[in-house]
Amino acid sequence: MISKAFALHARHAAKNLQIDELPLLITPHPVNHLTPEQLREMAQAAYPTVVKQLIGKELEADTHIAYVLPSVRRDAKTKSETR
């Protein structure tokens, strides 16, 4: 699991370790400002994919979790209200 800003670095590191096909679960970036409740929401969104990885189901090389940062939600709401 890696945030979007570090996904390319993680992909290069996996290649250097000869595990090119390592499935990465990519979270939005940044995450350091999220509250514990928001982190729980993100973890709940990631949970199904983590389980698939643990039981060995095939995944895409890079899987983005379905979570939208609160700041992005707020910005989208503001834009839609001003239209």
Side-chain angles (χ1 to χ4, degrees):
M1 185 178 284
I2 193 84
S3 74
K4 186 175 180 178
F6 300 101
L8 183 60
H9 176 71
R11 185 56 52 216
H12 288 302
K15 186 175 182 176
N16 288 337
L17 294 169
Q18 299 177 352
I19 47 177
D20 298 9
E21 296 179 19
L22 177 71
L24 297 178
L25 180 57
I26 302 171
T27 67
H29 183 85
V31 296
N32 62 318
H33 66 285
L34 297 178
T35 66
E37 176 65 27
Q38 292 165 338
L39 285 172
R40 266 190 290 287
E41 288 176 20
M42 184 185 293
Q44 288 171 342
Y47 180 78
T49 304
V50 171
V51 170
K52 286 178 186 175
Q53 288 178 329
L54 291 173
I55 63 174
K57 290 208 174 178
E58 287 292 317
L59 296 172
E60 295 178 23
D62 295 339
T63 302
H64 295 261
I65 65 167
Y67 181 79
V68 178
L69 292 170
S71 59
V72 174
R73 282 185 250 161
R74 192 172 38 253
D75 291 347
K77 183 179 178 184
T78 302
K79 285 180 184 177
S80 69
E81 289 173 354
T82 59
R83 288 184 185 171

